[in-house]
Amino acid sequence: MARTGRKNPARRVLIWLVAIFAALTAVLGGGVIAGQASWAPKLALDLEGGTQMILAPKVEGSSEINEDQLNQAVAIIRQRVDGSGVAEAEISTQSGRNVVVSLPGTPSKETRALIQASADMNFRPVIAAGDGAAVPVASRAKEADLPKPTAAPTNASDNNWVTADVYKAFEALDCVNPSQDKQERSDPAKPLVTCEPATAQTPAVKYILGPVEVKGQDITSSTFGPVQGAQGSVTNDWGVNITFNDSATKTFKAVTERLNQYYVASQAQGGNDPKAQFAIVLDDQVISAPRSLAVITDGRPQITGSFTEQTAKALSDQLRYGALPISFDIQSEEQISATLGGEQLRLGLLAGIIGLLLVVVYSLFQYRALGLVTIASLVVAGGLTYLAIAILGWTENYRLSLAGVAGLIVAIGQTADSFIVYFERIRDELREGKGLVSAVENGWKRAKRTVLASKAVNLLAALVLYFVAVGNVRGFAFTLGLTALADLLVVFMFTHPTLQVLARTKFFGEGHRFSGLDPARLGAVPLYRGAGRLRTPTEKPAVVRARNTGAAAEAERRMTIAERRLAEKQGELSGSSKGSRSTGGTKEGK
């Protein structure tokens, strides 16, 4: 009964591991069926090649760009295209003037648009809004009906900003089929006629906007998350949270006081006045135009609406990274070949295979059949890591570079270390004369602390390396940390449960000489058969004494300092260790 009770928990853990494998495979398989993922991991620029864009910086006015501005631009562009540091993008300066952006593979439309988005982010009040389609020529306002300002504007929402030319441009603007022609950057002190492109949820809208009142550089942070209700409960809606600096907080308070008056008045009349809206403009294009439902006094507005998690994240990223100090024009764009290529990848994989084979040979030589557990554990760890890398490539755009491959190769040795620590703890227990079942449990208690401490150090090193480095080094650190987590999962959910099951088999339980747990070879005292039964030697007494003497000497050699001192106090060490000859050997049981 006791054996059955011990065996079932181990098998349940193994079943859970199989379930995890099945779940990861199902997730990746679903992505492959949907056409969004691939069974093969994504490769980085050095292994696959990709797209290179040369950006020419442009400063407002006639001032020259300086090195600090260029370095800040590089840092922000890097955050835009590779905020997590695992997409293996390369962003650098060229001749102290241009910025070179190299991306693996073919960048998506969203990524290309994010790179092209320049520094010109600002907040403008809405003066008028209309349907995104251009007004037919026959229906446009006659010259006599065009607006004619009667006084100088008193604030950025004043209708006197709308001149006849501005209104003509508003009517002629087609946001449904926008022109691809490049336009000059707008004057922040003048009104702007522009579009808000159509999305899956909303049609295209065109606006007449007042002058800039708050600049994008005044944003200190931008996050997204579920919206909380009046009682603090979390709703199913998503919102974007903005934080302004001190100077913008005062300006934004005055702006929302004015816009909220328009909102309250329109609600009293049963309508929606567009003047209650405050447009967020990036590169002269509206990315959102929320209404001011309240006066914001603390500089922490929240944008809500028909957001999904993806659209809220996209807007948050645009706000966070949209305030570049300079703007850019894409000077050239071309496809580039892999900087290292398939030959280097094959050599890297060959190095990994050689390292794996050496670990296998050592495990089989040192641990015999027990080494098969090491090999199986490495296979399981490799499978988990492969699935994780493929899924992260799909969901987080993680790309495997040659540095990442090096991280995987290093992880082979680190993973094998965990098994060696565990196996040696078990063998130490056997040398003390314990049965295999208890040796596995006691050895696990001792090894678990060592394994956890070792992996904690590995994870800490990977985290530090990840946060202080850039480029390929971050990819190496990410892979190293990922494999450390996989190693922990395998040791706890595969290696230990497998040994719990094997300890109750005849081959391992009776200490077969090819099992790697032969008590005679380990110097166990006394020799045992199975759980708690002593084994009667079949060799001649002289052979047994010689073997036992050698085994005892081996056991003494492996003692720790504390164990040796305890044995000396108890008078159990042989004469060779204490300086005097004793009878030595081990007791033979019946």
Side-chain angles (χ1 to χ4, degrees):
M1 293 296 292
R3 292 186 180 184
T4 303
R6 286 284 186 177
K7 189 185 299 183
N8 288 338
R11 289 183 175 175
R12 282 198 294 269
V13 173
L14 292 173
I15 291 172
W16 272 109
L17 180 62
V18 172
I20 292 174
F21 255 104
L24 292 176
T25 304
V27 169
L28 183 58
V32 173
I33 294 173
Q36 299 177 348
S38 170
W39 290 110
K42 289 185 177 180
L43 299 180
L45 189 68
D46 56 355
L47 299 176
E48 183 185 29
T51 303
Q52 183 182 77
M53 302 179 189
I54 298 180
L55 308 178
K58 183 173 57 176
V59 183
E60 293 182 5
S62 58
S63 59
E64 291 292 329
I65 184 172
N66 58 50
E67 185 177 356
D68 289 340
Q69 287 179 313
L70 197 61
N71 291 335
Q72 185 180 358
V74 169
I76 296 178
I77 291 177
R78 180 177 288 113
Q79 288 293 330
R80 283 181 169 185
V81 301
D82 192 10
S84 63
V86 296
E88 299 292 347
E90 295 180 3
I91 299 97
S92 59
T93 59
Q94 182 186 70
S95 303
R97 178 64 187 175
N98 295 332
V99 175
V100 180
V101 179
S102 301
L103 302 173
T106 302
S108 63
K109 292 181 180 179
E110 293 78 9
T111 301
R112 184 176 280 106
L114 199 60
I115 295 173
Q116 292 175 342
S118 73
D120 190 23
M121 171 174 281
N122 49 60
F123 295 77
R124 293 172 178 258
V126 175
I127 298 176
D131 182 80
V135 177
V137 176
S139 302
R140 294 178 185 176
K142 305 300 182 183
E143 191 69 30
D145 298 328
L146 291 173
K148 298 178 178 60
T150 56
T154 57
N155 57 59
S157 299
D158 198 326
N159 284 331
N160 285 315
W161 287 108
V162 184
T163 63
D165 290 338
V166 169
Y167 196 78
K168 287 180 181 179
F170 177 72
E171 288 189 314
L173 182 62
D174 187 359
C175 296
V176 177
N177 300 296
S179 172
Q180 300 301 318
D181 296 336
K182 293 184 178 180
Q183 299 179 357
E184 293 295 326
R185 189 167 301 283
S186 63
D187 188 338
K190 294 181 179 180
L192 172 67
V193 177
T194 187
C195 299
E196 181 178 6
T199 66
Q201 293 80 25
T202 59
V205 182
K206 57 184 177 182
Y207 296 96
I208 299 177
L209 306 178
V212 172
E213 292 196 285
V214 180
K215 290 185 174 293
Q217 288 90 334
D218 294 326
I219 297 175
T220 59
S221 68
S222 172
T223 60
F224 71 100
V227 177
Q228 291 187 343
Q231 304 299 323
S233 59
V234 177
T235 67
N236 292 326
D237 298 323
W238 288 84
V240 177
N241 306 298
I242 305 173
T243 302
F244 289 109
N245 59 25
D246 292 340
S247 61
T249 295
K250 298 177 182 178
T251 304
F252 195 72
K253 176 186 176 183
V255 171
T256 55
E257 285 175 345
R258 183 181 73 242
L259 300 185
N260 189 247
Q261 291 176 357
Y262 291 119
Y263 174 74
V264 173
S266 65
Q267 291 297 300
Q269 298 174 2
N272 286 313
D273 191 345
K275 286 189 175 183
Q277 295 176 256
F278 202 41
I280 304 170
V281 184
L282 178 62
D283 289 347
D284 289 346
Q285 189 172 72
V286 175
I287 58 176
S288 182
R291 287 184 174 84
S292 179
L293 306 183
V295 178
I296 309 299
T297 60
D298 60 356
R300 297 175 180 271
Q302 182 182 64
I303 305 174
T304 59
S306 302
F307 286 119
T308 63
E309 181 179 1
Q310 290 74 24
T311 56
K313 179 181 184 301
L315 178 57
S316 176
D317 288 345
Q318 285 178 312
L319 291 169
R320 186 184 308 126
Y321 304 134
L324 277 173
I326 48 182
S327 58
F328 291 91
D329 289 329
I330 296 182
Q331 209 171 52
S332 66
E333 179 178 340
E334 61 180 355
Q335 295 299 119
I336 56 175
S337 60
T339 56
L340 293 175
E343 181 63 25
Q344 282 74 11
L345 177 60
R346 285 191 293 271
L347 291 175
L349 294 177
L350 178 62
I353 293 172
I354 292 174
L356 184 60
L357 289 176
L358 290 175
V359 171
V360 168
V361 171
Y362 172 81
S363 298
L364 294 177
F365 176 78
Q366 179 71 12
Y367 298 109
R368 294 172 175 79
L370 190 60
L372 296 175
V373 179
T374 300
I375 298 171
S377 299
L378 287 172
V379 171
V380 174
L384 282 174
T385 304
Y386 184 89
L387 288 172
I389 288 175
I391 292 174
L392 288 172
W394 166 34
T395 58
E396 301 297 329
N397 197 32
Y398 171 77
R399 289 181 176 269
L400 188 62
S401 65
L402 198 61
V405 174
L408 294 177
I409 295 172
V410 171
I412 295 174
Q414 293 183 343
T415 303
D417 283 346
S418 301
F419 311 142
I420 292 173
V421 168
Y422 184 21
F423 295 164
E424 288 300 325
R425 291 290 186 265
I426 294 175
R427 297 174 82 170
D428 286 343
E429 295 290 324
L430 293 177
R431 291 187 184 97
E432 295 176 4
K434 295 180 181 177
L436 182 57
V437 174
S438 62
V440 168
E441 298 303 327
N442 292 334
W444 172 244
K445 290 178 182 178
R446 296 172 61 187
K448 181 168 58 175
R449 294 190 295 267
T450 305
V451 171
L452 287 173
S454 172
K455 295 309 161 187
V457 172
N458 290 344
L459 283 172
L460 180 61
L463 286 172
V464 171
L465 196 60
Y466 178 83
F467 285 109
V468 302
V470 294
N472 287 345
V473 180
R474 297 188 77 182
F476 171 81
F478 184 86
T479 305
L480 203 61
L482 181 65
T483 51
L485 292 175
D487 181 17
L488 278 177
L489 188 66
V490 170
V491 171
F492 277 79
M493 298 190 70
F494 180 79
T495 310
H496 176 51
T498 299
L499 282 177
Q500 286 180 307
V501 173
L502 294 178
R504 290 165 177 80
T505 63
K506 182 178 180 180
F507 181 80
F508 286 94
E510 294 189 355
H512 192 281
R513 67 193 187 95
F514 290 121
S515 67
L517 299 172
D518 181 5
R521 295 180 180 276
L522 297 178
V525 182
L527 302 176
Y528 70 94
R529 285 187 66 187
R533 291 180 291 166
L534 301 180
R535 183 171 66 188
T536 302
T538 57
E539 297 91 348
K540 295 180 180 180
V543 176
V544 174
R545 284 195 298 270
R547 175 176 293 178
N548 288 344
T549 301
E554 174 67 13
E556 292 171 13
R557 187 180 66 81
R558 291 177 176 268
M559 281 184 176
T560 63
I561 295 176
E563 291 171 340
R564 185 177 296 277
R565 288 177 177 174
L566 179 61
E568 288 175 353
K569 290 180 180 179
Q570 297 175 349
E572 295 178 356
L573 283 185
S574 65
S576 61
S577 299
K578 296 174 61 177
S580 62
R581 188 73 177 176
S582 65
T583 56
T586 60
K587 296 181 181 180
E588 297 181 9
K590 295 183 180 180

